[in-house]
């Protein structure tokens, strides 16, 4: 069986790729197709997350098992796409590069029979270009950051005298 999937970058603009891949492929193969189709070098960590209809991240399927106990975490190379997505479970969230958190929504659009002579995986359609850098929300003085602290654009992080910091702590 062939899965037709739409992989959409979570941005304001419409940036997506339509990909066909065999249901028997593992998630590491799918990860490689995604990174190549969006123009990434594929050298960063990544994970898939099983998702519900509200795009909430569920169980993680990591590129590598970095848990303290080997075998504790599901990994892409051991996870078959057809065992992760099917008609009733159609969504995954894919996060590439945990420093910049490129986040993609993956949705199974259709399951079809393979076409004779067609090579899979294949990029069927590409819409939009990847931004040169991850778009950070603009913060203005008085806005709160993710920790509830006020953002201060006049903050000088090189003024060590005004910081509550004991440089001889050791």
């Amino acid at each position: 069986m062939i899965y037709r999937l739409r992989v959409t970058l979570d941005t304001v603009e419409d940036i997506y790729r339509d990909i066909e891949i065999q249901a028997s492929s593992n998630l590491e193969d799918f990860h490689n197709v995604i990174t190549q189709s969006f123009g990434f070098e594929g050298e960063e960590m990544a994970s898939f997350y099983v998702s519900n209809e509200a795009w909430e991240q569920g169980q993680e399927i990591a590129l590598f098992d970095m848990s303290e106990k080997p075998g504790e975490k599901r990994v892409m190379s051991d996870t078959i796409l057809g065992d992760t997505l099917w008609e009733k479970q159609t969504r995954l969230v894919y996060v590439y590069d945990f420093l910049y958190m490129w986040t993609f929504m993956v949705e199974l659009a259709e399951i079809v029979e393979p076409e004779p002579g067609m090579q899979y995986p294949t990029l069927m359609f590409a819409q939009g270009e990847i931004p040169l850098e991850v778009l950070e929300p603009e913060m203005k003085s008085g806005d709160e950051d993710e920790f509830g602290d006020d953002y201060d654009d006049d903050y000088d992080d090189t003024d060590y005298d005004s910081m509550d910091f004991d440089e001889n702590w050791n």
Side-chain angles (χ1 to χ4, degrees), residues 28-114:
E28 186 173 10
D29 293 336
F30 187 39
H31 150 80
N32 291 330
V33 172
I34 292 171
T35 57
Q36 290 170 11
S37 69
F38 279 94
F40 293 115
E41 292 184 19
E43 298 174 350
E44 303 299 331
M45 290 296 295
S47 285
F48 285 97
Y49 298 87
V50 177
S51 180
N52 60 18
E53 291 297 314
W55 294 107
E56 295 170 327
Q57 291 181 359
Q59 183 182 28
E60 179 181 16
I61 306 164
L63 185 56
F64 301 107
D65 184 357
M66 297 181 62
S67 61
E68 291 180 19
K69 208 172 176 182
E72 190 172 70
K73 187 172 279 216
R74 286 177 70 184
V75 292
M76 293 181 198
S77 60
D78 296 336
T79 305
I80 302 300
L81 187 58
D83 294 340
T84 310
L85 289 177
W86 57 90
E87 285 113 358
K88 297 200 185 284
Q89 171 56 53
T90 61
R91 293 181 174 190
L92 295 171
V93 173
Y94 171 71
V95 178
Y96 175 74
D97 189 348
F98 292 110
L99 178 63
Y100 294 106
M101 297 296 288
W102 293 99
T103 303
F104 300 82
M105 281 77 74
V106 177
E107 189 160 21
L108 176 61
E110 194 174 12
I111 301 172
V112 297
E113 293 294 326

